[in-house]
Amino acid sequence: DRDVTGVQTCALPIFDFLAVPRRRELVAMASRDKGFLWWPTEAALRCIEARCRGRELVTLGTDDEREPWFPGFRQAPSVLDALTLVCAAELYIGTDTGAATARELLGLPNIYCVDQHWIDELMRPYGYWDTRLAAPSRSVFARSLAELDDCLARALAEPQ
C-alpha cells in the first residue's frame, strides 16, 4: 500500500520538505474515504473544480480508491513522492491522512473533510487534534458540502 499514513510521515526527516518549492497553482486532494457520506463524492469534487478554476488539481490515492470524477488522479510511486507533491501544494483537501499531518508540521493549510463525530470521538480524544496543534494551525474543518464551499472561498482568497 502506497497510501501515506500518519506513521509513514517518519519519512519527513530523510527529506528537507522545507526546501520543496511551493506551487500556488496546485491543489492536492485525498481520495481516501473514511466512511463519510459527503466525501469524496462527485458533488464535492465539482465544488472544488468550480472554486479552483485555473489551478492544477491532483487527486492522490491508490488504484482501488479511484473514481471516474477525480481530477488529475495519481498514484504516487512512493511515500516520499506523495509527500513531496502534497507539501508543494497551495492547499490540501481531504481526510486526516499522513499527508495532512506532514503539512501541519510545516505550517501549511489543509481543509479536513470529515464529520463532527470524527472530530469529537476520534481526532480530539486520541490527540490527533489537540490545542497545541490547533493553535498555530492554518487548517479548517469542513463537515458538509456547504462548509467545503465556504472553506475554499476563504482559503483561496487569502495570500499563502
Side-chain angles (χ1 to χ4, degrees):
D1 183 34
R2 288 179 247 170
D3 181 50
V4 181
T5 65
V7 174
Q8 290 169 326
T9 55
C10 64
L12 281 171
I14 65 169
F15 188 77
D16 185 2
F17 285 96
L18 293 173
V20 172
R22 302 292 180 260
R23 293 182 47 205
R24 181 155 173 75
E25 74 287 350
L26 175 65
V27 174
M29 294 165 290
S31 62
R32 178 58 41 101
D33 172 3
K34 293 192 175 182
F36 309 120
L37 297 177
W38 75 276
W39 177 265
T41 61
E42 187 170 5
L45 277 291
R46 295 298 164 248
C47 172
I48 293 167
E49 286 178 322
R51 286 283 181 188
C52 296
R53 290 201 198 294
R55 289 175 167 87
E56 179 185 1
L57 301 177
V58 174
T59 307
L60 282 170
T62 57
D63 278 335
D64 62 326
E65 297 169 323
R66 182 189 309 247
E67 296 291 350
W69 60 82
F70 287 158
F73 185 86
R74 290 188 200 166
Q75 180 170 330
S78 71
V79 170
L80 188 57
D81 290 315
L83 288 172
T84 300
L85 185 135
V86 165
C87 289
E90 169 186 9
L91 183 63
Y92 181 72
I93 305 166
T95 55
D96 58 322
T97 63
T101 302
R103 289 179 58 84
E104 289 293 347
L105 294 171
L106 296 171
L108 301 172
N110 300 304
I111 296 177
Y112 291 102
C113 297
V114 295
D115 63 15
Q116 195 61 46
H117 173 80
W118 193 262
I119 297 166
D120 294 342
E121 301 299 325
L122 296 166
M123 290 184 80
R124 288 189 178 130
Y126 292 101
Y128 296 122
W129 193 258
D130 63 20
T131 54
R132 291 173 300 161
L133 182 60
S137 179
R138 296 171 47 208
S139 299
V140 294
F141 290 95
R143 293 166 293 248
S144 68
L145 188 55
E147 284 188 10
L148 174 60
D149 189 54
D150 290 342
C151 290
L152 283 165
R154 286 192 309 272
L156 297 172
E158 297 173 3
Q160 302 292 319

